[in-house]
Amino acid sequence: MTWIVAVVLVVTAGGLGLLAWRRLRLLRAGGVHVAVRGRKDDSGRGWQLGVGRYRGDEFVWYRVLSVRSGPDKVIRREGLEIDARREPTGAETYSMPLGAMVISCHGPDGTVEIAMGVDAMTGFLSWLESSPPGSIIPWAS
C-alpha cells in the first residue's frame, strides 16, 4: 500500500516537473505570458493562461497546462484587426497576467480576446502593424 502511494507521488511530481520545464523552455525561447479567450463572455470566464511567441506571420500560443508539443492556438497576422482595447474587469483579473490589458481581435479564423502586460502588448501591436515588403495591409486598401 505504501509503495502505491510512493509511485503516485513520483508520477505526479514528474508530470508537474515536465509542465514546469516546458513553460520555462517556451519563455526562454522568446515567449511572453499571455491569456487567451476564444469567445467573449461578460462573466469573466473562459480565460486560459499560456505563453505566446512570434513565428513569422503567426503568433502561436501554448497553454500552460498542456502536454501538447505544438501550439494550442495560432493567430495569423494577415487579416487580423483589433476591435477594442480595455482593462480587465472584476473576476478577469484573477485569470490573466499581472497588469494586463485586454484586446479583442477578429480575423479570418474568428474572434479572440488576448490579455497581456503593457510591454508585451506594445510588442504585439508593433508586430501586427509591421509586415514584410510586398504584403497587403488590410486597412490601407
Side-chain angles (χ1 to χ4, degrees):
M1 183 68 165
T2 321
W3 65 273
I4 293 174
V5 173
V7 168
V8 169
L9 287 175
V10 167
V11 169
T12 303
L16 290 174
L18 284 174
L19 288 173
W21 173 78
R22 179 179 179 266
R23 180 173 168 257
L24 286 172
R25 183 178 53 98
L26 289 170
L27 286 171
R28 287 185 178 161
V32 293
H33 290 285
V34 177
V36 170
R37 180 165 66 173
R39 68 184 162 93
K40 192 168 184 169
D41 179 5
D42 293 333
S43 68
R45 301 162 106 185
W47 288 102
Q48 297 175 347
L49 286 173
V51 175
R53 292 180 38 194
Y54 301 99
R55 189 173 67 187
D57 284 340
E58 299 174 334
F59 182 75
V60 293
W61 177 78
Y62 300 85
R63 189 180 328 213
V64 168
L65 298 176
S66 175
V67 292
R68 258 181 93 159
S69 61
D72 292 286
K73 187 158 196 69
V74 177
I75 301 170
R76 290 172 180 76
R77 177 170 37 194
E78 184 179 342
L80 187 67
E81 294 183 21
I82 297 174
D83 295 328
R85 182 173 163 173
R86 63 179 176 82
E87 291 190 18
T89 58
E92 288 181 328
T93 57
Y94 297 109
S95 54
M96 56 186 59
L98 188 62
M101 291 292 295
V102 178
I103 56 172
S104 178
C105 305
H106 76 276
D109 299 329
T111 301
V112 65
E113 283 188 301
I114 305 168
M116 58 181 77
V118 176
D119 292 341
M121 180 74 66
T122 302
F124 182 81
L125 295 174
S126 176
W127 168 80
L128 185 59
E129 291 175 1
S130 67
S131 63
S135 297
I136 298 172
I137 302 172
W139 54 86
S141 52

